[in-house]
Amino acid sequence: KAGVTQTPRYLIKTRGQQVTLSCSPISGHRSVSWYQQTPGQGLQFLFEYFSETQRNKGNFPGRFSGRQFSNSRSEMNVSTLELGDSALYLCASSGTGAGSYNEQFFGPGTRLTVL
Amino acid sequence: GQSLEQPSEVTAVEGAIVQINCTYQTSGFYGLSWYQQHDGGAPTFLSYNGLDGLEETGRFSSFLSRSDSYGYLLLQELQMKDSASYFCAVRLNTGGFKTIFGAGTRLFVKA
């Protein structure tokens, strides 16, 4: 079974631009969560999607948004990029069966650098 | 607010046993997970405790006490490849699931 894939793996943008990151979960997984990882703040929860619905959101400004498609693939968008948005963005998927829902499988991440 | 506390760094020798503690203050607590992350890699799932007690998976065990808001990860027969960061993470059910990660414990395994 293929793992979680994220594209692109690396991205360089300038302040003020916007960016869209993509995540394809493991086949059959309907839950997708996004995290931001930085050396200073660690792993921070951005949002969780299940069956195309955002079910939970972390404490991030409205510039951070996301969506999930009917095939469970997910995208997140960051508008008006700031230097502080430079981070590793990780996507994780989990299954829907009892127990499996609590095991998250992470993708390799997208390394975003904002100049 | 939600908070998790775990040691920032632990050093141990190959073959030894090490315990990484995690205390948490959260609302909507559902369970406690542990993840391992090597430098440059993505976090990988190690274990999940939804109920009090010990869960064992090979050389790794994890414990949870809900009444004490406390858990730990126990690594036995340490190997050099176990050098990595270990994160405790609380799974919250607040109308939808979210996972809050601790700051991570950097484990150094020495020969």
Side-chain angles (χ1 to χ4, degrees):
Chain A
K1 200 185 250 189
V4 178
T5 59
Q6 293 187 244
T7 57
R9 293 292 312 278
Y10 302 92
L11 205 49
I12 299 176
K13 293 285 188 180
T14 56
R15 278 182 302 174
Q17 287 187 307
Q18 75 164 21
V19 67
T20 299
L21 313 182
S22 181
C23 170
S24 291
I26 290 172
S27 177
H29 285 190
R30 290 161 61 188
S31 172
V32 173
S33 298
W34 287 88
Y35 298 87
Q36 181 196 65
Q37 186 172 31
T38 60
Q41 297 296 318
L43 267 158
Q44 292 194 286
F45 173 80
L46 279 157
F47 20 67
E48 187 230 8
Y49 286 89
F50 183 85
S51 292
E52 303 179 65
T53 301
Q54 185 184 92
R55 300 204 301 183
N56 227 319
K57 191 178 192 315
N59 297 326
F60 279 82
R63 300 185 297 107
F64 291 81
S65 63
R67 59 178 175 168
Q68 186 180 34
F69 302 95
S70 59
N71 62 358
S72 294
R73 190 178 70 84
S74 178
E75 289 181 347
M76 67 163 281
N77 184 277
V78 188
S79 62
T80 320
L81 283 166
E82 300 178 359
L83 295 178
D85 297 332
S86 294
L88 180 67
Y89 289 88
L90 292 158
C91 158
S93 74
S94 55
T96 52
S100 63
Y101 193 75
N102 298 305
E103 179 178 351
Q104 295 186 79
F105 294 84
F106 282 81
T110 295
R111 173 75 62 185
L112 171 65
T113 302
V114 182
L115 303 175
Chain B
Q2 323 275 15
S3 69
L4 289 88
E5 296 284 335
Q6 57 180 125
S8 59
E9 203 174 285
V10 172
T11 300
V13 297
E14 227 178 346
I17 298 173
V18 72
Q19 179 172 313
I20 300 173
N21 298 319
C22 175
T23 57
Y24 58 88
Q25 278 189 304
T26 63
S27 56
F29 179 86
Y30 193 77
L32 184 71
S33 303
W34 290 90
Y35 288 82
Q36 178 194 62
Q37 186 177 30
H38 286 97
D39 286 346
T44 56
F45 174 83
L46 292 176
S47 69
Y48 173 78
N49 293 73
L51 302 173
D52 285 0
L54 192 68
E55 293 283 340
E56 296 179 84
T57 310
R59 294 187 298 114
F60 295 170
S61 304
S62 59
F63 173 82
L64 173 66
S65 169
R66 295 171 73 111
S67 59
D68 295 322
S69 298
Y70 163 76
Y72 66 72
L73 178 70
L74 193 74
L75 297 86
Q76 302 182 75
E77 301 170 20
L78 280 174
Q79 302 174 9
M80 298 295 288
K81 67 177 182 178
D82 296 331
S83 293
S85 292
Y86 292 83
F87 296 88
C88 64
V90 291
R91 194 82 160 135
L92 305 177
N93 188 354
T94 55
F97 286 100
K98 67 193 281 187
T99 302
I100 305 299
F101 282 78
T105 298
R106 183 82 181 192
L107 172 64
F108 296 95
V109 180
K110 302 191 298 185

